[in-house]
């Protein structure tokens, strides 16, 4: 098995150009490209979207703050995102960030897994639509045609949202705070929410516990099941799907045995990102079976 995988040094940071507007930096040490990303985007300020603790525990926050300080870039941190972010938390972050958005260069940065990154994409849209809110966005009451620049710093290897045009959020209450009889979790699909730049550094996922690592890997497999089993599948979607499943089968047991194994982390993160290459122009609606499998 190792003969194939050994061809690729895991600390060789490469750039991927699919699933993003500019590039995704991929490889162990990719977080050190944060300064290069900021120099490219030249933001007037940055709004960070994350959850409690993970952005620090992962090791991502130190290089980010150093790069911001060196460039005198102001920022605001919203760290209240939970699993399955709500439209209310999205609206709260938008209100927090809006005073910093002096011009169109304001940057929204999600640090985490699918929930913070999906929230960041949603916030980036609403920064351009002050008359709208999270409910109107996820009730599809308008069609977004623009978004603030988006930077995703990925800490997991499951959703692949750092490489796609999808985001989800939960609507649990009505506009006046009343509890809904039937809460919903719609999916937003729009080319405007492709991340501008993403950072996939496998070392940032090394603090994930085994159970969560396994759940993320199952999520990556779920996504390629959707593309490989739809009635409009193609040889490309089936072939790439098989490749993702093979990588997860080879490397997830090693990751569970040793969560600090960066080679295992590298290939699992590659599998998650690779899987979303299938879905960039995927014409069919989501298959509900993987959604059921990923409930946990």
């Amino acid at each position: 098995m190792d003969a194939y995988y050994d061809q690729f040094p895991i600390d060789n940071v490469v750039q991927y150009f699919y699933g993003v507007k500019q590039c995704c930096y991929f490889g162990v040490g990719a977080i050190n490209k944060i300064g290069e990303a900021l120099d490219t985007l030249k933001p007037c300020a940055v709004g960070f979207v994350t959850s409690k603790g993970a952005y620090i525990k992962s090791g991502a926050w130190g290089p980010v703050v150093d790069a911001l300080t060196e460039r005198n870039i102001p920022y605001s941190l919203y760290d209240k995102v939970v699993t399955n972010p709500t439209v209310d938390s999205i609206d709260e972050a938008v209100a927090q960030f809006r005073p910093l958005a002096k011009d169109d260069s304001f940057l929204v940065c999600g640090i985490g897994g699918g929930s913070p990154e999906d929230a960041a994409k949603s916030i980036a849209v609403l920064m351009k639509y002050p008359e709208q809110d999270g409910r109107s966005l996820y009730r599809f009451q308008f069609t977004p045609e623009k978004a603030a620049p988006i930077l995703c710093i990925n800490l997991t290897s499951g959703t692949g949202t750092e490489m796609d045009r999808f985001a989800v959020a939960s609507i649990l209450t009505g506009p006046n705070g009343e509890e809904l009889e039937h809460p919903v979790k719609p999916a937003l699909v729009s080319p405007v929410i492709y991340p501008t730049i993403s950072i996939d550094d496998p070392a940032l996922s090394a603090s994930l516990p085994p159970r969560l690592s396994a759940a993320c890997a199952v999520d990556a497999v779920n996504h390629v099941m959707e593309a490989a089993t739809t009635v409009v599948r193609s040889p490309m979607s089936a072939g790439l799907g098989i490749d993702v499943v093979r990588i997860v089968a080879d490397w997830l047991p090693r990751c569970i045995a040793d969560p600090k194994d960066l080679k295992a982390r590298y290939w699992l993160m590659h599998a998650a990102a690779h899987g979303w290459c299938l879905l960039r122009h995927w014409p069919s609606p989501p298959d509900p079976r993987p959604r059921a499998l990923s409930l946990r």
Side-chain angles (χ1 to χ4, degrees):
M1 177 179 70
D2 286 338
Y4 169 75
Y5 294 115
D6 285 345
Q7 300 177 70
F8 308 100
I10 64 173
D11 58 355
N12 178 31
V13 178
V14 298
Q15 295 182 44
Y16 293 157
F17 297 101
Y18 58 81
V20 288
K21 294 176 181 176
Q22 294 196 19
C23 75
C24 172
Y25 295 104
F26 187 95
V28 173
I31 189 60
N32 296 317
K33 296 292 186 179
I34 181 62
E36 187 173 314
L38 292 173
D39 290 341
T40 298
L41 297 171
K42 296 179 171 58
C44 64
V46 184
F48 289 97
V49 185
T50 189
S51 57
K52 293 286 185 185
Y55 66 104
I56 296 174
K57 185 177 180 181
S58 65
W61 191 236
V64 168
V65 171
D66 288 346
L68 292 167
T69 302
E70 182 179 339
R71 291 161 179 79
N72 294 313
I73 299 173
Y75 67 90
S76 178
L77 176 70
Y78 182 85
D79 65 352
K80 301 177 186 178
V81 177
V82 297
T83 302
N84 298 318
T86 66
V87 292
D88 297 301
S89 64
I90 288 168
D91 290 342
E92 187 176 44
V94 170
Q96 178 178 316
F97 294 161
R98 200 170 292 286
L100 280 178
K102 304 301 184 184
D103 58 42
D104 287 343
S105 69
F106 180 79
L107 174 66
V108 181
C109 177
I111 305 178
S115 294
E117 292 175 280
D118 282 1
K121 292 177 175 182
S122 310
I123 292 161
V125 170
L126 293 174
M127 293 299 293
K128 296 295 186 180
Y129 292 91
E131 73 282 5
Q132 303 291 347
D133 61 14
R135 283 177 181 79
S136 64
L137 177 62
Y138 279 94
R139 291 290 189 187
F140 311 115
Q141 293 172 358
F142 73 104
T143 301
E145 297 180 349
K146 55 188 175 180
I150 301 165
L151 172 63
C152 286
I153 300 176
N154 183 41
L155 306 183
T156 67
S157 51
T159 70
T161 194
E162 79 279 10
M163 304 284 280
D164 70 40
R165 57 188 173 129
F166 298 84
V168 295
S170 298
I171 304 176
L172 305 180
T173 60
N176 297 317
E178 68 277 16
E179 186 174 335
L180 294 181
E181 182 179 358
H182 301 291
V184 293
K185 183 182 174 183
L188 176 66
V189 185
S190 173
V192 305
I193 60 171
Y194 276 121
T196 312
I197 293 176
S198 290
I199 293 175
D200 265 337
D201 186 336
L204 301 183
S205 67
S207 61
L208 287 175
R211 181 179 175 84
L212 185 53
S213 299
C216 288
V218 169
D219 206 19
V221 171
N222 289 344
H223 293 145
V224 298
M225 282 178 57
E226 294 180 68
T229 61
T230 172
V231 295
V232 292
R233 65 188 180 275
S234 68
M236 177 179 285
S237 68
L240 288 175
I242 291 169
D243 191 37
V244 169
V245 172
R246 181 183 296 116
I247 290 170
V248 171
D250 286 344
W251 290 101
L252 180 58
R254 294 193 184 194
C255 182
I256 298 302
D258 180 8
K260 301 296 185 183
D261 184 338
L262 292 187
K263 191 172 182 182
R265 293 292 186 185
Y266 176 95
W267 285 104
L268 290 175
M269 189 168 279
H270 167 78
H274 194 46
W276 277 101
C277 176
L278 303 178
L279 306 182
R280 185 171 185 179
H281 301 293
W282 185 34
S284 68
D287 183 338
R289 292 172 297 171
R291 298 295 169 228
L293 283 172
S294 64
L295 290 175
R296 53 188 185 274

